[in-house]
Each structure stands twice: as structure tokens, then as C-alpha cells.
Amino acid sequence: MSLPVLNTTIALEHSAETITKPTESMLALPEKVLQFGTGVLLRGLPDYYINKANGKGVFNGRIVVVKSTGSGTSDEFSNQDGLFTHCIKGYQNNQLVEETIINASIARVLAAKTQWNDILKTAENKNMQLIISNTTEVGIVLDENDRIGNNPPSSFPGKLLAWLHHRYTTFNGSLEAGVVIVPTELVIDNGTKLKLIIEQLAELNQLDEAFINWLFTANDFCNSLVDRIVPGKMPQAQHDATLVALGYQDDLMIMSEVYSLWAIETSKQRSKEILSFSKIDNGVVIVPNINKFRELKLRLLNGTHTFSCGLAYLAGFETVKDAMANNTFSLFLHDLMTHEIAPCIENVEISRLESYEFAKTVIDRFRNPSIDHRWLSITMNYTGKMQMRNLPLIIEHYNRFDQVPQYMAIGFASYILFMQSTEIKEGKYYGSMNGKSYHINDDMAAYFNDVWQNSSIATVVQNVLANVKLWGVNLNNYDGFSAAVQNYLSIFKSGKFLEVLANLEKNKEEVGV
């Protein structure tokens, strides 16, 4: 039996009480947001907040989405009147949460390749207040040859500059025509970097000083940090079953975890008023500096992933949720965060309580039964992640406590073991555990292959820790760290991963920790 495609009539008339539906008044709201990108992260986070606020009569504005890449059209959105279903699943405060929302925040989607003039025309709309983007990390780059007169400009900054220039011209340089610009790309200081590129591009396009002055006095380029796992489509069987239960076809349906954060950096009162959807959800945080939120995420979420991914995979766990179902492993993750990582990031901005509360949300997120987050995927660029996320934690632990961080040493030992290759095929390096081969997807795979050649465990550890080019320091100089890593690596070579974790917890209990 074929299902009818989601549209306005179905959304308004749907009878299920378990679904949050739009109202007619929400669908009639004016366009106030220009969004570069159609991806699931934007729809699962900023669009979620805007839709929620509209439902409470707060933000009262809809989104025009710019489809910037590819040669496709926006038909998939127009076929559904811009509507899409958002299924939220996971744990919050140790309770399983499931929510289904028909999101009505998108008014229309325009393809930059074929509808550029229509996109420029939105700059003439006095109601426009906010620009959001997620064009991936390669989107915030300078193309020195891009010109705003192109139809369309090739780069995202080029398109944005052309839009802003058209708005400036339309409203004769009025300060009230300025907008808030919030990129969500996973780039540190994304707003600052975008602003710098826009300035360079304006000069390359020989735009006048009056316009450039308006760019940076009337508009607010905000750094931001987004945090929500939005895998997009559910596993096929679950996806099909959900549609049958809903009673309609939705080619744009997405799924996300419960947790959400959008930290936006600004001190301007006008910007705060424009970003009024922050009033309806604690997940939107508007502060003068977002470094605290970046540090919490980088160390407690990402850092924990990196310390544990090799260990979990070698211990036989395919997904994060599988590992969290094991009490020994889940307790290891909890104690790694609360006993070793959290004390290292406590400072004037981050209290110990804030770290603990964030760690609790991480545990809830890791346990999510609806997300198949694979450990092997997390090991990609393992060395780079260890350098950026975890090396500072090891050093800071010694600076503060002058003793071996045992949980971190376990994570480092499992990293070295994971990087041991047993086979090279077509230039790629593969390791093996319990007869199963895995790809070592890391730029340093060849280095580790050389290090492991006919070497004892002690020699491997000594050489890896002494590699100043990798770590910036000789980690052998940190008292006891090399011995601890060697000890754990020796035991792991025999496959006793969970036994090590269980003994660590037992020893902790015996000394009253």
C-alpha cells in the first residue's frame, strides 16, 4: 500500500496526539531567516529551535533555504511544502525519551544554480534578520577569483557577500537593515573567520568603503558551536515502520538524539533580541565567549571518544551503545570523565559541577539505543585526535596532580595497540584482533608499522612516547606514564581488555576512591 506524501493538509489534520504538529498561523509567518545548506544538522538543530519557538509564538519567522551545492533541484522540499518529520530518540536524565515533530520552519528552498535572482530578491525583504550556514569546513574559505556579479558566485562567502551588498543597496545603507550571521560549520572561531574572508573578498571585488563600513557596523558575525548527533535517516526497517505508523510518506524525515546545544557568541543586545528563540530552549546559549562550551565538548565528549575508541573496538564492541550495555566498560567511561578529565578542565570558567553535569549528558548520549555510532568510525584520524583532544589532558593532569592518570594510560595503550598493522594491501594498513581485520585509517599508519617491526613492547612504547614531532614533548619524561602504558599494553596483547578495567575499579574501591 502506497502512503500519501506529507503535505500541509496532512500536517494540520493529523490525528495522532503523540505528534507535535504545526498550526495554520505558523505556516503563515513571514520569512526572517536565510539558511545556506539543506543538511540534517541544520534541520535537526537550528531549524528545530526556530520551529519550537514559532510554536510558542516567540520568534515568529520562517526560513528560506539556499541549496548551494550540486545540480539538483529543490523538488523534494516543494513536494512536501517544506515540511519534514523530526524523530527525537534517546536518554535524558536517565529516562528514555521519544518525540515526533512535524517541522514547519522552512518556507521554501531555492537552488543557487537556477534561482540565484530569487535568492538575491530575499535581501529586499525588510523582515530578514538572520543568516545561518553549514557548508562544511571547506565552505568557509577564500576564493580570490569569486565575483559577486557571477550568477551565482561560486563560493559560500561570495554568495553571502553578494546578498549583503544587494541588501545594502536596497536599503541605502540603513543600519537597521543589518543582520545577524551565525555560521555553524565545525571550525573554531567560524564567525570571525567568515568575517575576515568577507572583508578580503569585498576588497578583491573593489567594493566601496561605505559598504565595507556598513558590513561590520550593521551586521554581527557570531562564532557558534553546535552539538547534536543527527544521523539523518533511520535504519531502513525502522524508517519504514515509522512511516507506516505515521500514515504518510516523508522523504525528508530525520532522526536525532535528545541532547542539543547551540552556543552563540555575541554581546550585542540587538542580536540577542533577534535570536529570541533562545528563550524557549536551554539548549540555545547566547554568551560573550563560547570557549567554555567548546572545551567541555572537546575534552569530555570528543576526548572520551578518543581515549576509548580503540579499547572498545579491540574488546569486541562494534558500536558505542553495545559498549555502554556492558557495566564494566560504561563504568570505565564514567570514571575516566569524572576522575581524570573533569579535574583537568576545571578553571575560572568551568566549575567541577559543570563538568560533572556535562559528563552525565555524555553518558546518556553514549547509551542512546537508536544511534549506531561505530567505534571503528571514531578511530579515523586517531593520531590527530589524540594530539588535539587528549595530549593536553595528559600534560595538565601531571601539572595539577603529578601522578599517572591511569584511565588515560589505558586509553593510550589501546591506541598504540590499535595502530599495530599486520597487513598492507594496496597501500592501506590493516590491523587484526581475534582473527578480524580492520582498516587503520590514519595518516601515521606507516610510522606505526615501522615502529612495531620486530620490536618489544617496551621499545615500541619508548619510541612512540619519545616522538616529539608527534606530541611536542617527550612523554617518557612524565614520571610513571611509560611504565603504565607498557603494563597495560602487555596485558592487552593477551586480549584481557575488560579484565584490566574490572581490576582498576576493584583497586579503586580497595583504596576508598
Side-chain angles (χ1 to χ4, degrees):
M1 181 184 70
S2 60
L3 298 170
V5 175
L6 175 63
N7 59 29
T8 300
T9 301
I10 290 175
L12 293 175
E13 297 180 356
H14 205 289
S15 60
E17 295 182 358
T18 55
I19 298 176
T20 302
K21 304 176 295 183
T23 61
E24 289 191 36
S25 60
M26 289 170 65
L27 295 169
L29 291 171
E31 296 173 352
K32 294 173 67 173
V33 183
L34 187 68
Q35 174 176 298
F36 287 86
T38 60
V40 296
L41 188 279
L42 286 171
R43 290 193 282 131
L45 193 68
D47 299 359
Y48 161 79
Y49 291 129
I50 290 171
N51 185 73
K52 185 175 180 179
N54 287 343
K56 295 181 180 296
V58 176
F59 181 72
N60 296 324
R62 300 183 81 197
I63 304 165
V64 177
V65 177
V66 178
K67 181 179 173 61
S68 297
T69 58
S71 57
T73 67
S74 56
D75 287 351
E76 56 188 351
F77 286 90
S78 58
N79 290 343
Q80 297 186 184
D81 299 332
L83 303 168
F84 65 93
T85 309
H86 182 181
C87 301
I88 300 173
K89 300 173 182 287
Y91 282 94
Q92 187 175 53
N93 298 324
N94 210 31
Q95 299 293 318
L96 189 62
V97 174
E98 292 195 11
E99 184 179 3
T100 303
I101 301 164
I102 297 178
N103 188 304
S105 62
I106 296 176
R108 53 188 172 136
V109 176
L110 301 174
K113 187 171 183 179
T114 58
Q115 298 172 290
W116 180 240
N117 288 333
D118 292 331
I119 293 168
L120 279 182
K121 195 168 180 61
T122 65
E124 301 170 14
N125 176 0
K126 62 179 177 52
N127 292 314
M128 279 289 179
Q129 296 180 327
L130 174 63
I131 295 178
I132 307 169
S133 69
N134 194 295
T135 55
T136 75
E137 292 85 343
V138 298
I140 302 184
V141 292
L142 174 65
D143 179 355
E144 294 185 355
N145 298 315
D146 206 5
R147 294 295 176 262
I148 66 170
N150 293 347
N151 187 8
S154 59
S155 67
F156 159 57
K159 293 180 179 72
L160 176 57
L161 179 61
W163 190 93
L164 289 168
H165 188 263
H166 190 71
R167 188 167 181 83
Y168 167 82
T169 303
T170 300
F171 292 99
N172 298 313
S174 167
L175 292 178
E176 291 301 311
V179 295
V180 178
I181 300 159
V182 189
T184 67
E185 288 82 355
L186 298 178
V187 177
I188 295 175
D189 295 332
N190 43 23
T192 301
K193 290 180 179 177
L194 179 59
K195 180 179 179 180
L196 177 61
I197 291 170
I198 290 290
E199 181 177 16
Q200 293 173 300
L201 199 55
E203 292 172 352
L204 289 168
N205 277 261
Q206 299 181 334
L207 301 177
D208 61 71
E209 286 296 323
F211 167 69
I212 294 176
N213 181 64
W214 177 85
L215 266 180
F216 304 124
T217 54
N219 302 280
D220 189 9
F221 290 78
C222 305
N223 295 321
S224 87
L225 172 73
V226 291
D227 188 9
R228 186 175 222 178
I229 298 174
V230 189
K233 193 173 181 179
M234 304 176 196
Q236 193 62 49
Q238 187 181 358
H239 175 87
D240 293 343
T242 301
L243 291 178
V244 170
L246 291 171
Y248 57 76
Q249 180 65 35
D250 184 352
D251 294 331
L252 298 170
M253 182 168 65
I254 62 170
M255 186 262 284
S256 79
E257 66 175 334
V258 179
Y259 179 86
S260 66
L261 171 69
W262 192 10
I264 303 172
E265 186 174 283
T266 186
S267 299
K268 296 183 177 180
Q269 186 59 37
R270 178 174 181 265
S271 297
K272 294 177 184 178
E273 292 170 2
I274 288 172
L275 300 169
S276 60
F277 48 78
S278 63
K279 300 173 183 177
I280 55 84
D281 196 300
N282 292 332
V284 185
V285 182
I286 302 176
V287 288
N289 190 309
I290 62 171
N291 287 340
K292 173 174 77 172
F293 302 97
R294 183 181 297 113
E295 185 74 357
L296 286 167
K297 177 179 183 290
L298 181 65
R299 308 305 177 191
L300 285 168
L301 176 67
N302 304 134
T304 299
H305 262 156
T306 302
F307 270 129
S308 57
C309 59
L311 176 65
Y313 184 79
L314 295 174
F317 299 112
E318 292 288 336
T319 65
V320 175
K321 67 181 179 183
D322 291 340
M324 294 305 295
N326 181 281
N327 290 334
T328 299
F329 198 91
S330 62
L331 186 58
F332 166 76
L333 289 186
H334 174 273
D335 289 350
L336 166 66
M337 284 190 284
T338 57
H339 294 326
E340 289 190 353
I341 297 179
C344 289
I345 63 174
E346 181 182 358
N347 54 38
V348 293
E349 290 184 332
I350 303 172
S351 69
R352 185 74 61 90
L353 179 60
E354 283 179 305
S355 294
Y356 286 165
E357 289 299 317
F358 192 87
K360 283 170 57 179
T361 69
V362 171
I363 292 295
D364 278 343
R365 299 172 73 181
F366 284 3
R367 293 173 59 207
N368 194 330
S370 298
I371 296 178
D372 289 326
H373 205 170
R374 308 193 78 78
W375 287 113
L376 192 59
S377 298
I378 299 171
T379 65
M380 185 181 298
N381 301 320
Y382 206 162
T383 301
K385 292 173 180 176
M386 189 67 77
Q387 291 167 329
M388 183 179 71
R389 299 170 176 179
N390 293 349
L391 177 68
L393 290 171
I394 295 170
I395 295 173
E396 186 62 23
H397 192 280
Y398 271 97
N399 289 341
R400 295 192 183 202
F401 308 109
D402 195 27
Q403 64 183 33
V404 178
Q406 296 293 336
Y407 296 91
M408 296 185 194
I410 286 173
F412 208 93
S414 59
Y415 154 68
I416 294 176
L417 180 57
F418 181 91
M419 296 296 293
Q420 181 182 17
S421 55
T422 56
E423 186 180 13
I424 306 174
K425 292 188 297 186
E426 299 178 352
K428 295 181 179 180
Y429 294 82
Y430 294 84
S432 65
M433 178 56 62
N434 298 322
K436 187 166 76 171
S437 176
Y438 59 87
H439 180 208
I440 302 172
N441 195 350
D442 188 286
D443 290 342
M444 298 306 297
Y447 163 77
F448 276 90
N449 180 67
D450 293 340
V451 167
W452 271 103
Q453 291 300 317
N454 302 315
S455 298
S456 66
I457 287 175
T459 301
V460 170
V461 172
Q462 289 288 327
N463 288 341
V464 171
L465 296 188
N467 192 328
V468 177
K469 287 185 178 180
L470 273 185
W471 315 117
V473 295
N474 185 339
L475 289 171
N476 290 304
N477 294 334
Y478 290 87
D479 189 36
F481 191 69
S482 178
V485 172
Q486 286 182 45
N487 175 53
Y488 292 128
L489 182 53
S490 298
I491 302 172
F492 290 160
K493 285 286 285 183
S494 65
K496 296 180 180 179
F497 298 98
L498 294 180
E499 289 87 344
V500 168
L501 305 187
N503 287 334
L504 190 65
E505 296 304 324
K506 180 181 178 182
N507 293 338
K508 185 186 69 178
E509 291 174 2
E510 288 177 354
V511 298
V513 175

